[in-house]
Amino acid sequence: MMLGGTNGYNNDHHVGAQNNGCGGPNNGGVTLKKGPWTAAEDAILAEYMRTYGEGNWNAVQKNTGLARCGKSCRLRWANHLRPSLKKGAFWPEEERIIVELHATMGNKWARMTTRLPGRTDNEIKNFWNTRVKRRQRQGLPLYPPEIQALHSSSGQRLQPVHRLIPTQFLIYDPQSSTTPPPVHSPSPASTPPPHPSPSTPPPLLLNSPLQSPHAPSFSTSFTSDTTNTTPSSLDFYFQRSSPSLQHPLRYKRFKHDGGHENFMILQPRLGSTQFMSTPDFGYPFKNELPSNQFFAHDGNNSEVTLDPKGDNNYGSSDHNSDHHSSSLNINGNGLLEDLLNEAQGLTDSHEIMGGQSCLVGSSSSSDCLSSDLNAKEEPKQEIMNATKHEDNSNANQSSVAMTVPEWNIDGQSSAVTDENLGFEFELHDQIAPLLHVNTAPGGLGRSSSSHSWDHIFPGIC
DNA sequence: AAAGTTTGCAACCGCTTCCCA
DNA sequence: ATGGGAAGCGGTTGCAAACTT
């Protein structure tokens, strides 16, 4: 991205004398470039690394003539040029791993890379930060209840939700990570790894000590299937924040491909007059529709504004109806329940759970992936989830606050325990084969520490 | 069609940790 | 034990693309 393009960086920035991390006395007065790398620079660096391997990054600049500091070379190599790198969006399985790892270790991006071969710390960090922003925007918790349960039952503490997220927003959105496998980004530096078939999601990989026999195991797609769960403290609903109450709920009406008229709840964005759709396209699918966007439809949109009365709650799950009615029956007892009831009624009356029903008709949530590839199917998914929630809606009205991990009690991350590492290495061994990465000794699997890499490519100094 | 806004990501920055003399 | 350089790490910035109005 941005290779050779214009940028805001001073490409002729002279850093020879200043200590900016790329400076130091060894630049020899060379004017070092900053900003995006060019293809030519990439080629030079890649060739050099293939020949000499990693090590002594400052020597790279000297030996190649690149006008880049060693630090920049290291970053470029590690994040973009290494042949073992994967490209493209994270797979659902990888996402799940990241979430769990973050719950375990906090912002230890580099350490996380040892569990996600082929992924870089920067990539993981960006993913997580994006996820934080998205879920904050949507009023959703960072961690699914499964992880909360695992950590609460195991005595481990969760990385806290972003500090800006009020605890009343802590709810897991069951649709996160249920989107299709990612598409790979066009990268000249690598070829995308083979994707698991959307219809055959990768098997559950984790055999984590975090998972107790009593704790719900993760479904492959991170789907929170509440159908069979009994009411517990883990089931809770998003409590609408008071500021949001100042905004009327709006429903956007659109026509489906088949001509069915649908509604989608528009969620007011805090501090904005804009509304966002409640469906959570939580998965960072490359072609993901942003949270405030709708799947493609024709221009027959109109909006219906509903002014909720009373102390309405609505679920984190998104509910829109695939029906012909022009109105939703809001009774003021809680929007979520209203919607659930509505969804149930629609389910009963319109048989929308037909052949394409994944949550109802499939034995597992992961089965949904194959039928959920098209974003236009989302409305049905929404209503199905809504229907499922109804089973225990009355018993789960309370919010659950997440515990704050000890390593981040002050908002700062800290070291990871050796116990965690033990689990991590076990996890790594199990995950790697499924991620199509060679993790055999001497393989090219990413390691945040350069030890294994150094073993492959002894340093040049 | 154009302007404005949002989003994702590459790259930079500065602090910390590691290593070695 | 310690000081300096190199490498690693996490946070932040700013741009281009995507999207909305």
Side-chain angles (χ1 to χ4, degrees), chain A residues 51-63:
Chain A
T51 304
Y52 300 102
E54 293 185 15
N56 198 348
W57 292 104
N58 285 333
V60 175
Q61 188 270 323
K62 294 185 211 169
N63 297 336

PDB file of all heavy atoms in Angstrom, chain A residues 51-63:
ATOM      1  N   THR A  51      19.932 -13.327   0.940  1.00  0.00           N
ATOM      2  CA  THR A  51      21.345 -13.696   0.860  1.00  0.00           C
ATOM      3  C   THR A  51      21.985 -13.802   2.243  1.00  0.00           C
ATOM      4  O   THR A  51      22.696 -14.761   2.533  1.00  0.00           O
ATOM      5  CB  THR A  51      22.115 -12.656   0.036  1.00  0.00           C
ATOM      6  OG1 THR A  51      21.497 -12.554  -1.249  1.00  0.00           O
ATOM      7  CG2 THR A  51      23.571 -13.062  -0.130  1.00  0.00           C
ATOM      8  N   TYR A  52      21.693 -12.839   3.061  1.00  0.00           N
ATOM      9  CA  TYR A  52      22.410 -12.764   4.337  1.00  0.00           C
ATOM     10  C   TYR A  52      21.555 -13.046   5.570  1.00  0.00           C
ATOM     11  O   TYR A  52      22.084 -13.276   6.639  1.00  0.00           O
ATOM     12  CB  TYR A  52      23.058 -11.383   4.478  1.00  0.00           C
ATOM     13  CG  TYR A  52      24.043 -11.070   3.395  1.00  0.00           C
ATOM     14  CD1 TYR A  52      23.705 -10.230   2.343  1.00  0.00           C
ATOM     15  CD2 TYR A  52      25.313 -11.643   3.400  1.00  0.00           C
ATOM     16  CE1 TYR A  52      24.614  -9.936   1.330  1.00  0.00           C
ATOM     17  CE2 TYR A  52      26.224 -11.361   2.395  1.00  0.00           C
ATOM     18  CZ  TYR A  52      25.869 -10.506   1.363  1.00  0.00           C
ATOM     19  OH  TYR A  52      26.776 -10.221   0.375  1.00  0.00           O
ATOM     20  N   GLY A  53      20.294 -12.962   5.395  1.00  0.00           N
ATOM     21  CA  GLY A  53      19.447 -13.195   6.556  1.00  0.00           C
ATOM     22  C   GLY A  53      19.389 -11.995   7.476  1.00  0.00           C
ATOM     23  O   GLY A  53      19.990 -10.954   7.216  1.00  0.00           O
ATOM     24  N   GLU A  54      18.660 -12.185   8.544  1.00  0.00           N
ATOM     25  CA  GLU A  54      18.467 -11.066   9.462  1.00  0.00           C
ATOM     26  C   GLU A  54      19.689 -10.865  10.339  1.00  0.00           C
ATOM     27  O   GLU A  54      20.520 -11.751  10.505  1.00  0.00           O
ATOM     28  CB  GLU A  54      17.251 -11.322  10.353  1.00  0.00           C
ATOM     29  CG  GLU A  54      15.950 -11.328   9.599  1.00  0.00           C
ATOM     30  CD  GLU A  54      14.763 -11.459  10.539  1.00  0.00           C
ATOM     31  OE1 GLU A  54      14.940 -11.255  11.755  1.00  0.00           O
ATOM     32  OE2 GLU A  54      13.676 -11.769  10.049  1.00  0.00           O
ATOM     33  N   GLY A  55      19.727  -9.733  10.903  1.00  0.00           N
ATOM     34  CA  GLY A  55      20.781  -9.429  11.836  1.00  0.00           C
ATOM     35  C   GLY A  55      21.503  -8.155  11.458  1.00  0.00           C
ATOM     36  O   GLY A  55      21.650  -7.833  10.276  1.00  0.00           O
ATOM     37  N   ASN A  56      21.917  -7.437  12.457  1.00  0.00           N
ATOM     38  CA  ASN A  56      22.660  -6.197  12.260  1.00  0.00           C
ATOM     39  C   ASN A  56      21.999  -5.312  11.211  1.00  0.00           C
ATOM     40  O   ASN A  56      22.507  -5.113  10.100  1.00  0.00           O
ATOM     41  CB  ASN A  56      24.094  -6.502  11.857  1.00  0.00           C
ATOM     42  CG  ASN A  56      24.974  -5.270  12.071  1.00  0.00           C
ATOM     43  OD1 ASN A  56      24.463  -4.166  12.297  1.00  0.00           O
ATOM     44  ND2 ASN A  56      26.268  -5.458  12.035  1.00  0.00           N
ATOM     45  N   TRP A  57      20.887  -4.805  11.581  1.00  0.00           N
ATOM     46  CA  TRP A  57      20.089  -4.056  10.620  1.00  0.00           C
ATOM     47  C   TRP A  57      20.771  -2.793  10.137  1.00  0.00           C
ATOM     48  O   TRP A  57      20.523  -2.332   9.021  1.00  0.00           O
ATOM     49  CB  TRP A  57      18.732  -3.730  11.237  1.00  0.00           C
ATOM     50  CG  TRP A  57      17.903  -4.956  11.427  1.00  0.00           C
ATOM     51  CD1 TRP A  57      17.665  -5.613  12.591  1.00  0.00           C
ATOM     52  CD2 TRP A  57      17.239  -5.694  10.406  1.00  0.00           C
ATOM     53  NE1 TRP A  57      16.874  -6.713  12.364  1.00  0.00           N
ATOM     54  CE2 TRP A  57      16.598  -6.778  11.028  1.00  0.00           C
ATOM     55  CE3 TRP A  57      17.115  -5.558   9.027  1.00  0.00           C
ATOM     56  CZ2 TRP A  57      15.842  -7.726  10.318  1.00  0.00           C
ATOM     57  CZ3 TRP A  57      16.365  -6.484   8.318  1.00  0.00           C
ATOM     58  CH2 TRP A  57      15.740  -7.551   8.978  1.00  0.00           C
ATOM     59  N   ASN A  58      21.601  -2.271  10.962  1.00  0.00           N
ATOM     60  CA  ASN A  58      22.294  -1.072  10.515  1.00  0.00           C
ATOM     61  C   ASN A  58      23.256  -1.383   9.367  1.00  0.00           C
ATOM     62  O   ASN A  58      23.518  -0.539   8.507  1.00  0.00           O
ATOM     63  CB  ASN A  58      23.052  -0.429  11.675  1.00  0.00           C
ATOM     64  CG  ASN A  58      22.108   0.292  12.629  1.00  0.00           C
ATOM     65  OD1 ASN A  58      21.037   0.735  12.216  1.00  0.00           O
ATOM     66  ND2 ASN A  58      22.496   0.390  13.879  1.00  0.00           N
ATOM     67  N   ALA A  59      23.726  -2.606   9.380  1.00  0.00           N
ATOM     68  CA  ALA A  59      24.626  -3.004   8.299  1.00  0.00           C
ATOM     69  C   ALA A  59      23.882  -3.114   6.976  1.00  0.00           C
ATOM     70  O   ALA A  59      24.491  -2.999   5.908  1.00  0.00           O
ATOM     71  CB  ALA A  59      25.285  -4.342   8.641  1.00  0.00           C
ATOM     72  N   VAL A  60      22.604  -3.334   7.056  1.00  0.00           N
ATOM     73  CA  VAL A  60      21.819  -3.453   5.840  1.00  0.00           C
ATOM     74  C   VAL A  60      21.919  -2.175   5.020  1.00  0.00           C
ATOM     75  O   VAL A  60      22.147  -2.203   3.804  1.00  0.00           O
ATOM     76  CB  VAL A  60      20.337  -3.762   6.177  1.00  0.00           C
ATOM     77  CG1 VAL A  60      19.497  -3.768   4.919  1.00  0.00           C
ATOM     78  CG2 VAL A  60      20.238  -5.094   6.896  1.00  0.00           C
ATOM     79  N   GLN A  61      21.794  -1.113   5.706  1.00  0.00           N
ATOM     80  CA  GLN A  61      21.851   0.176   5.007  1.00  0.00           C
ATOM     81  C   GLN A  61      23.213   0.382   4.361  1.00  0.00           C
ATOM     82  O   GLN A  61      23.316   0.802   3.207  1.00  0.00           O
ATOM     83  CB  GLN A  61      21.524   1.307   5.995  1.00  0.00           C
ATOM     84  CG  GLN A  61      21.370   2.674   5.347  1.00  0.00           C
ATOM     85  CD  GLN A  61      22.695   3.422   5.293  1.00  0.00           C
ATOM     86  OE1 GLN A  61      23.504   3.325   6.216  1.00  0.00           O
ATOM     87  NE2 GLN A  61      22.912   4.142   4.217  1.00  0.00           N
ATOM     88  N   LYS A  62      24.213   0.034   5.105  1.00  0.00           N
ATOM     89  CA  LYS A  62      25.569   0.236   4.565  1.00  0.00           C
ATOM     90  C   LYS A  62      25.819  -0.663   3.360  1.00  0.00           C
ATOM     91  O   LYS A  62      26.355  -0.234   2.347  1.00  0.00           O
ATOM     92  CB  LYS A  62      26.590  -0.095   5.651  1.00  0.00           C
ATOM     93  CG  LYS A  62      26.579   0.840   6.835  1.00  0.00           C
ATOM     94  CD  LYS A  62      27.716   0.464   7.782  1.00  0.00           C
ATOM     95  CE  LYS A  62      27.367   0.758   9.214  1.00  0.00           C
ATOM     96  NZ  LYS A  62      28.335   0.174  10.160  1.00  0.00           N
ATOM     97  N   ASN A  63      25.412  -1.914   3.506  1.00  0.00           N
ATOM     98  CA  ASN A  63      25.763  -2.890   2.482  1.00  0.00           C
ATOM     99  C   ASN A  63      24.891  -2.817   1.240  1.00  0.00           C
ATOM    100  O   ASN A  63      25.288  -3.277   0.172  1.00  0.00           O
ATOM    101  CB  ASN A  63      25.687  -4.301   3.077  1.00  0.00           C
ATOM    102  CG  ASN A  63      26.702  -4.486   4.191  1.00  0.00           C
ATOM    103  OD1 ASN A  63      27.717  -3.777   4.235  1.00  0.00           O
ATOM    104  ND2 ASN A  63      26.434  -5.406   5.092  1.00  0.00           N
TER     105      ASN A  63
END
